[in-house]
Every structure is written in structure tokens, then in C-alpha cells.
């Protein structure tokens, strides 16, 4: 019997399996395209011949496929569904909170324990101090799996019993990453147009990490308490800076898609009368009209 089975051996699943092996765990692996398991066999993993064989081999199944639909296609195969009872499924593919809750409901019907996770790390970081994995689901289930899952990430955070909350937080983080990736890339294009080295720009921005960390903590507190009226910087000043960035982009004859979008959001906030408020009062024009937009906060996870 293995300590753990890893199903899905893409870039991330392979890194997860390697981390379990490095931690001395007996690791069983399976992948639809069997050749991807060869490198792990060489590293000491046991390679199962079918998904059902892999599931039967261990009490804990770590699943890291492309998406939740792929995870479900494996779990709901009758040969797997029949033997999943009594095991713990740890589902790490990206997806939505709705998908995570639906899989948890399916697992409960089949008599399996279920945790859902979201990975904030590159495959090369897995197993190291910089890797972060958020896990959602029942506290007792998380506690029972902590010693094993600690092999994967220096930061293993239980975000609460609502099994949808790891995916919800991943979505929230992805919103930030999306702006970060596009914003950084736009900055690199400015550097190229000005004869500056994008690699040096990357180093410069990495040095600004404490400033961003402080800003994120502050924005979180300000938004949570809805107290936007003691600004360190205002919506109006940020709007002016970003509007200028559109002009700069036009002058340099580079694309202005990102600053045009960002300026339009801050302009909406100014037009709505929030110009004198803290820059993150832009939240007010992003909230939309959903009745769920401000559910009561459920506990704390940091
Ligand atoms: N790679 C990363 O840095 C990111 C970091 C953040 C989180 N993501 C998520 O992790 C999931 C897996 O990502 P990945 O990078 O390992 O993805 P791939 O290398 O594309 O491997 C995908 C594996 O899924 C298997 N697969 C897909 N569909 C099916 C299916 N219907 N039945 C069985 N297996 C399936 C695929 O198998 P194969 O193509 O090799 O046969 C791969 O093993 C993902 O959710 C990221 O968003 C990673």
C-alpha cells in the first residue's frame, strides 16, 4: 500500500509526486499518457496501470489534472467510483468554488473524504519554502492530512470548512495576478521603447515587494472596514497618473490597451464621486449588483 497516490502527471502533478518521494513517502502515480510516468518510476515511484489500480493503492489520492471536469471524469468512472469510499481525495486542479462544492457532494455520496486545494506556486517551487497551497474542507480532515501534505509546500494554509473557499481565494488572487502580469508586461514594453533593460526592470520591481505587501495589507483592511476616507493616495491622483500612462504609451507608439482599461475603471470611480477617497475605493465600482457581493466574513485563515 502506498502512502499517497498522485493522479495527473503534467508539470504540476509530476512536481507534487517528486516532493512526496523526496519526503520519503511511498508514492503511487498514474497518468492517462503513460510515458509521463517513466521519469517518476526512475525516481522511485510505483506506476499504476490504470486509474482504478492507482486509487486502490493508497488511502490518500492527490489529483492534479488540467481542470475539475477532468478530475470528475476520472473519479466518476465506475471502476474508480466503486472503490473510492473510505479514501481521502485531495483535488488540486484549478476550477471554481461551485465545481469544488459539487465534487465534495459527489465524494460524500460515495463515502469518501474530500479536500479541495489551490496551488500558488510554480512546479519548480513545489516542496520548498516558497510554495503555498490553500486547502478548504472539514478541519478534522485537513488535520488528518497535514503531515502528508506538508511535503508539498512550506505554506500549507487551511482556509476553512467551506470546501469552495480555496477556489474562491484562488480566483481572488488570480484577479491580482492578471493585472500584475499584464501590468508588468506593459512596463517591460515601455522599457523596450525607452532603451531600458526589461531584466533590470524586473529586478527593480522585485525590490518594491515590501511596498506592495504593505499596500495589499492596507487595502484589505480598508475594504473590509469600508473606511476609504483617510487616504494615503486618492482615486483622483491614481486616475491622473494612469491617464498620463495612456499618453506616454501613445507617445512611444506602443499599445495602450491596459492603461486605457485601468484609466477607464478609475474614471468611473471619479465619476461616481469617490475621487477624494483611498485608491482602493475603486472596489465600489467593481462590486456589481450581486446579492452575494458582501456575505458575512466566515472566520480567519491567516
Ligand atoms: N503549472 C503551473 O504552474 C500552475 C500553477 C497554478 C496551478 N496550476 C493548475 O494545476 C493543474 C495542473 O497543471 P499542470 O501544469 O500540471 O497541467 P498540464 O501540464 O497541462 O497537465 C495536465 C494533466 O491533466 C491530465 N488530463 C487532462 N485531461 C484529462 C482527462 N480527461 N483524463 C485524464 N487525464 C487528463 C493530463 O494528462 P495527459 O494529457 O498527460 O494524458 C496531464 O497529466 C491545472 O489545473 C492548473 O491550472 C498549475
Amino acid at each position: 500500500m502506498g502512502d499517497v497516490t498522485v493522479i495527473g502527471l503534467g508539470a504540476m502533478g509530476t512536481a507534487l509526486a517528486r516532493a512526496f518521494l523526496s519526503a520519503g513517502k511511498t508514492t503511487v502515480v498514474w497518468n492517462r499518457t503513460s510515458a509521463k510516468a517513466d521519469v517518476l518510476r526512475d525516481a522511485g515511484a510505483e506506476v499504476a496501470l490504470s486509474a482504478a489500480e492507482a486509487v486502490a493503492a493508497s488511502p490518500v489520492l492527490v489529483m492534479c489534472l488540467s481542470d475539475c471536469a477532468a478530475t470528475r471524469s476520472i473519479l466518476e468512472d465506475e471502476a474508480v467510483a466503486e472503490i473510492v469510499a473510505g479514501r481521502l481525495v485531495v483535488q488540486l486542479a484549478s476550477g471554481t468554488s461551485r465545481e469544488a462544492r459539487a465534487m465534495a457532494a459527489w465524494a460524500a455520496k460515495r463515502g469518501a473524504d474530500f479536500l479541495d486545494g489551490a496551488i500558488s506556486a510554480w512546479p519548480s517551487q513545489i516542496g520548498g519554502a516558497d510554495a503555498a497551497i490553500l486547502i478548504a474542507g472539514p478541519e478534522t480532515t485537513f488535520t488528518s492530512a497535514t503531515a502528508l501534505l506538508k511535503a508539498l509546500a512550506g505554506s500549507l494554509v487551511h482556509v476553512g470548512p467551506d470546501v469552495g473557499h480555496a477556489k474562491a481565494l484562488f480566483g481572488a488572487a488570480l484577479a491580482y495576478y492578471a493585472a500584475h502580469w499584464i501590468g508588468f508586461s506593459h512596463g517591460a514594453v515601455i522599457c523596450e521603447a525607452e532603451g531600458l533593460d526589461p531584466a533590470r526592470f524586473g529586478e527593480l520591481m522585485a525590490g518594491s515587494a515590501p511596498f506592495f505587501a504593505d499596500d495589499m495589507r492596507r487595502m484589505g483592511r480598508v475594504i473590509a472596514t469600508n473606511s476609504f476616507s483617510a487616504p494615503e493616495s486618492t482615486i483622483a491622483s491614481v486616475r491622473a497618473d494612469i491617464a498620463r500612462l495612456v499618453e506616454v504609451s501613445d507617445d512611444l507608439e506602443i499599445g495602450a490597451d491596459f492603461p486605457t482599461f485601468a484609466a477607464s475603471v478609475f474614471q468611473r470611480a471619479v465619476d461616481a464621486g469617490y475621487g477624494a477617497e483611498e485608491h482602493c475605493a475603486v472596489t465600489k465600482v467593481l462590486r456589481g449588483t450581486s446579492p452575494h457581493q458582501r456575505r458575512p466574513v466566515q472566520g480567519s485563515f491567516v
Side-chain angles (χ1 to χ4, degrees):
M1 192 89 174
D3 293 320
V4 61
T5 284
V6 178
I7 293 182
L9 303 175
M12 187 54 81
T14 298
L16 299 173
R18 277 191 187 287
F20 283 131
L21 288 166
S22 297
K25 308 294 177 195
T26 307
T27 306
V28 180
V29 297
W30 180 80
N31 194 62
R32 177 179 63 179
T33 306
S34 59
K36 286 190 189 167
D38 291 348
V39 61
L40 289 164
R41 181 189 287 108
D42 295 344
E46 295 172 23
V47 180
L49 296 178
S50 67
E53 188 182 304
V55 170
S58 307
V60 181
L61 319 172
V62 171
M63 306 195 62
C64 192
L65 300 141
S66 308
D67 53 30
C68 293
T71 307
R72 287 198 76 137
S73 75
I74 301 286
L75 285 175
E76 293 176 15
D77 179 85
E78 208 40 48
V80 169
E82 271 174 8
I83 56 169
V84 80
R87 299 178 200 282
L88 166 61
V89 178
V90 182
Q91 200 299 120
L92 296 178
S94 299
T96 65
S97 56
R98 188 190 294 260
E99 287 175 309
R101 292 182 187 118
M103 276 187 288
W106 179 90
K109 261 195 211 149
R110 288 289 179 162
D113 288 323
F114 185 87
L115 293 171
D116 187 77
I119 301 173
S120 281
W122 304 117
S124 59
Q125 294 175 310
I126 291 297
D130 291 341
I133 299 184
L134 309 182
I135 299 282
E139 174 117 39
T140 49
T141 312
F142 174 74
T143 303
S144 72
T146 302
L148 178 74
L149 299 179
K150 265 280 176 197
L152 301 179
S155 172
L156 183 74
V157 181
H158 183 231
V159 298
D162 183 328
V163 79
H165 276 178
K167 291 290 186 276
L169 281 163
F170 186 73
L174 195 57
Y176 172 80
Y177 300 148
H180 160 89
W181 288 323
I182 301 173
F184 183 91
S185 300
H186 187 81
V189 172
I190 292 177
C191 288
E192 287 172 343
E194 290 276 13
L196 290 159
D197 180 3
R200 286 191 63 199
F201 173 56
E203 290 301 329
L204 185 77
M205 293 307 287
S208 305
F211 161 70
F212 288 112
D214 186 66
D215 192 47
M216 281 187 266
R217 290 195 184 96
R218 178 181 168 83
M219 286 197 294
R221 284 196 306 270
V222 164
I223 293 166
T225 53
N226 231 14
S227 49
F228 301 99
S229 55
E232 285 225 78
S233 82
T234 63
I235 290 270
S237 72
V238 171
R239 183 208 59 90
D241 286 345
I242 298 178
R244 201 168 301 114
L245 192 54
V246 177
E247 288 169 30
V248 166
S249 303
D250 289 344
D251 280 353
L252 293 171
E253 297 182 356
I254 62 174
D257 310 64
F258 181 62
T260 301
F261 165 71
S264 76
V265 176
F266 280 96
Q267 185 62 52
R268 276 168 55 207
V270 169
D271 293 345
Y274 307 133
E277 298 189 12
E278 176 83 35
H279 55 67
C280 60
V282 75
T283 312
K284 294 182 187 182
V285 298
L286 297 176
R287 278 184 175 139
T289 55
S290 159
H292 305 307
Q293 61 181 299
R294 300 202 70 208
R295 285 185 173 139
V297 172
Q298 296 172 27
S300 171
F301 51 86
V302 284

